[in-house]
Amino acid sequence: KELAPTVLRHRLVLTYEAEAEGATVEEIADELGPEAVARAKAFGKFAQGLAHANLALFYDMAFVVTEDTDLTEAIDPIPYTELMPIALDMLDQAIALCGTSFTIPFDWMAADMDNVKLAKLAHWMKARYMAEVGRTPEERAQANWNAIISEIDAGLDEDWTMDLDWNAGWYASALHYTGRPGWGQLNNFVYGMADQSGIYQQWLALS
């Protein structure tokens, strides 16, 4: 606990409002305290991991964007096969940060969550992503099921539900609007992954 503020404060990034007010990372870290700093960083890395892992599931290529990315410089997308390991590493970082005891406010996820449960949830999500990332028979045959089962064993061991309420916490707005009659339809890139006729590949060749 004594080392936590020193170890974690280098991972804080000031907002432009804080910089404009002349605040320093040290001042913010001292004001928040080690528990709040660890909670923010663990939750942030967890969210980063989920975001990048889902990009790896849905797209052939995507960008890696973290708190260290210089968005004034051009960046190149990377293949999903390279992106998923990066996303899994983000979840590993979140798990490591859960070594500090903290409780996540209920309205962050509309669920009861502390550092222990967040680490287990991260393990559980890692198992799902590791099992789901393969798109071809060859890629699926390369799945490391021993590692996947290890993540499952380290994951949640009880029923857990997160209420996706668009008025509070997280919400799957993309799923809502693409599936709601009259609002939109599922993206062809998502439909195409289930196509067995070859027409999807013909459509891709047109672009």
Side-chain angles (χ1 to χ4, degrees), residues 60 189 199-207:
D60 290 333
F189 289 108
I199 296 176
Y200 175 63
Q201 284 69 28
Q202 295 178 25
W203 178 76
L204 283 177
L206 297 175
S207 58

Short mmCIF file of all heavy atoms in Angstrom, two decimals, residues 60 189 199-207:
data_model
loop_
_atom_site.label_atom_id
_atom_site.label_comp_id
_atom_site.label_asym_id
_atom_site.label_seq_id
_atom_site.Cartn_x
_atom_site.Cartn_y
_atom_site.Cartn_z
N ASP A 60 -11.03 -6.91 -39.87
CA ASP A 60 -9.78 -7.51 -40.32
C ASP A 60 -8.57 -6.74 -39.81
O ASP A 60 -7.52 -7.32 -39.53
CB ASP A 60 -9.73 -7.56 -41.85
CG ASP A 60 -10.72 -8.57 -42.42
OD1 ASP A 60 -11.06 -9.53 -41.71
OD2 ASP A 60 -11.17 -8.38 -43.56
N PHE A 189 -20.33 -6.53 -42.82
CA PHE A 189 -19.09 -7.17 -42.39
C PHE A 189 -19.37 -8.18 -41.28
O PHE A 189 -18.63 -9.16 -41.11
CB PHE A 189 -18.09 -6.12 -41.90
CG PHE A 189 -17.52 -5.28 -43.01
CD1 PHE A 189 -17.90 -3.95 -43.16
CD2 PHE A 189 -16.62 -5.82 -43.91
CE1 PHE A 189 -17.38 -3.19 -44.18
CE2 PHE A 189 -16.10 -5.06 -44.94
CZ PHE A 189 -16.47 -3.73 -45.08
N ILE A 199 -20.60 -15.62 -51.59
CA ILE A 199 -21.08 -14.31 -52.07
C ILE A 199 -20.44 -13.17 -51.28
O ILE A 199 -20.16 -12.10 -51.83
CB ILE A 199 -22.62 -14.25 -51.99
CG1 ILE A 199 -23.24 -15.29 -52.92
CG2 ILE A 199 -23.13 -12.85 -52.35
CD1 ILE A 199 -24.75 -15.37 -52.83
N TYR A 200 -20.20 -13.40 -49.99
CA TYR A 200 -19.56 -12.36 -49.17
C TYR A 200 -18.18 -12.02 -49.72
O TYR A 200 -17.81 -10.85 -49.82
CB TYR A 200 -19.47 -12.83 -47.73
CG TYR A 200 -18.72 -11.89 -46.81
CD1 TYR A 200 -19.19 -10.59 -46.57
CD2 TYR A 200 -17.56 -12.29 -46.16
CE1 TYR A 200 -18.51 -9.73 -45.74
CE2 TYR A 200 -16.88 -11.44 -45.31
CZ TYR A 200 -17.36 -10.16 -45.10
OH TYR A 200 -16.68 -9.31 -44.26
N GLN A 201 -17.42 -13.05 -50.10
CA GLN A 201 -16.10 -12.80 -50.67
C GLN A 201 -16.19 -12.04 -51.99
O GLN A 201 -15.36 -11.18 -52.29
CB GLN A 201 -15.34 -14.13 -50.86
CG GLN A 201 -14.79 -14.73 -49.58
CD GLN A 201 -15.88 -15.23 -48.66
OE1 GLN A 201 -16.96 -15.60 -49.10
NE2 GLN A 201 -15.60 -15.22 -47.35
N GLN A 202 -17.23 -12.34 -52.78
CA GLN A 202 -17.44 -11.60 -54.02
C GLN A 202 -17.75 -10.13 -53.73
O GLN A 202 -17.27 -9.24 -54.42
CB GLN A 202 -18.59 -12.23 -54.81
CG GLN A 202 -18.32 -13.64 -55.31
CD GLN A 202 -19.53 -14.23 -56.03
OE1 GLN A 202 -20.37 -13.50 -56.56
NE2 GLN A 202 -19.64 -15.56 -56.00
N TRP A 203 -18.54 -9.91 -52.69
CA TRP A 203 -18.87 -8.53 -52.30
C TRP A 203 -17.63 -7.77 -51.83
O TRP A 203 -17.43 -6.61 -52.17
CB TRP A 203 -19.94 -8.55 -51.20
CG TRP A 203 -20.32 -7.20 -50.70
CD1 TRP A 203 -21.11 -6.28 -51.30
CD2 TRP A 203 -19.89 -6.61 -49.46
NE1 TRP A 203 -21.21 -5.14 -50.53
CE2 TRP A 203 -20.48 -5.31 -49.40
CE3 TRP A 203 -19.08 -7.03 -48.41
CZ2 TRP A 203 -20.27 -4.46 -48.33
CZ3 TRP A 203 -18.88 -6.18 -47.35
CH2 TRP A 203 -19.47 -4.91 -47.31
N LEU A 204 -16.78 -8.46 -51.04
CA LEU A 204 -15.54 -7.82 -50.58
C LEU A 204 -14.67 -7.43 -51.75
O LEU A 204 -14.01 -6.36 -51.72
CB LEU A 204 -14.77 -8.77 -49.67
CG LEU A 204 -15.27 -8.95 -48.23
CD1 LEU A 204 -14.43 -9.98 -47.51
CD2 LEU A 204 -15.25 -7.62 -47.48
N ALA A 205 -14.64 -8.25 -52.79
CA ALA A 205 -13.79 -7.96 -53.95
C ALA A 205 -14.24 -6.74 -54.72
O ALA A 205 -13.45 -6.16 -55.47
CB ALA A 205 -13.76 -9.19 -54.88
N LEU A 206 -15.48 -6.31 -54.50
CA LEU A 206 -15.99 -5.12 -55.19
C LEU A 206 -15.48 -3.84 -54.58
O LEU A 206 -15.48 -2.79 -55.23
CB LEU A 206 -17.52 -5.12 -55.16
CG LEU A 206 -18.22 -6.27 -55.89
CD1 LEU A 206 -19.73 -6.18 -55.67
CD2 LEU A 206 -17.90 -6.24 -57.39
N SER A 207 -15.04 -3.89 -53.31
CA SER A 207 -14.64 -2.67 -52.61
C SER A 207 -13.17 -2.38 -52.84
O SER A 207 -12.41 -3.21 -53.32
CB SER A 207 -14.91 -2.82 -51.12
OG SER A 207 -14.22 -3.92 -50.59
#
